[in-house]
Amino acid sequence: MARIEGVDLPRNKRIEIGLTYIYGIGRTRSLEALAATGINPDTRVKDLTDAEATNLRDYIQNYKVEGDLRRETQMHVKRLMEIGCYRGLRHRRHLPVRGQRTKTNARTRKGPKKTVAGRGRRRGAKKK
């Protein structure tokens, strides 16, 4: 079992896909790392030799991945919130940050629907 940057890579997947399980490594960087280390992208993770795994570990150490990258991202968001810019306010209120509409949609960011009392019966509806 290959363990890189504290992440156990899935044994039966191709190494090209398996590397993407590491936070901060996508398909492009995965292919780049495999080309630099001379490993065939079609190799399964379970078929990696110890030397190949070591080469991959050494290559990936040059990048900011996993804990360091998560921490840096959190610090960027925290900085935006502290300086009180528009993006920081959107983060603070748990609303979409990048200009998406919120009248409908945005349920992922806002969470489950909260019913508000007195919102029904609009536009001239008569009471009985």
Side-chain angles (χ1 to χ4, degrees), residues 5 24-25 29 32-33 58-65 68:
E5 292 292 326
I25 295 183
R29 189 167 283 174
E32 181 184 306
D58 294 340
Y59 185 83
I60 289 174
Q61 279 182 348
N62 298 330
Y63 292 106
K64 194 174 284 190
V65 291
D68 293 336

Side-chain angles (χ1 to χ4, degrees), residues 90 94-96 99-114:
R90 302 298 283 181
H94 302 287
L95 293 169
Q100 298 92 331
R101 68 181 303 139
T102 56
K103 182 173 182 178
T104 61
N105 302 334
R107 290 275 50 117
T108 300
R109 188 79 176 138
K110 292 166 72 172
K113 213 188 300 188
K114 303 175 200 88

Side-chain angles (χ1 to χ4, degrees), residues 118-126:
R119 288 293 303 234
R121 228 193 266 264
R122 301 175 81 131
R123 309 242 170 152
K126 296 180 181 178

Side-chain angles (χ1 to χ4, degrees), residues 20-93:
T20 63
Y21 280 63
I22 301 171
Y23 183 81
I25 295 183
R27 288 288 291 275
T28 305
R29 189 167 283 174
S30 170
L31 287 170
E32 181 184 306
L34 293 172
T37 54
I39 299 172
N40 182 6
D42 294 329
T43 308
R44 299 284 171 177
V45 173
K46 63 183 176 188
D47 298 333
L48 276 181
T49 64
D50 290 336
E52 290 174 334
T54 305
N55 286 344
L56 266 177
R57 260 187 224 103
D58 294 340
Y59 185 83
I60 289 174
Q61 279 182 348
N62 298 330
Y63 292 106
K64 194 174 284 190
V65 291
E66 277 302 318
D68 293 336
L69 183 59
R70 289 181 202 270
R71 197 171 308 109
E72 182 179 315
T73 307
Q74 285 177 344
M75 293 304 292
H76 288 314
V77 171
K78 191 177 288 187
R79 179 184 58 84
L80 290 172
M81 288 166 58
E82 285 173 1
I83 65 176
C85 68
Y86 182 77
R87 280 173 55 202
L89 294 176
R90 302 298 283 181
H91 275 292
R92 195 178 302 154
R93 293 177 185 161

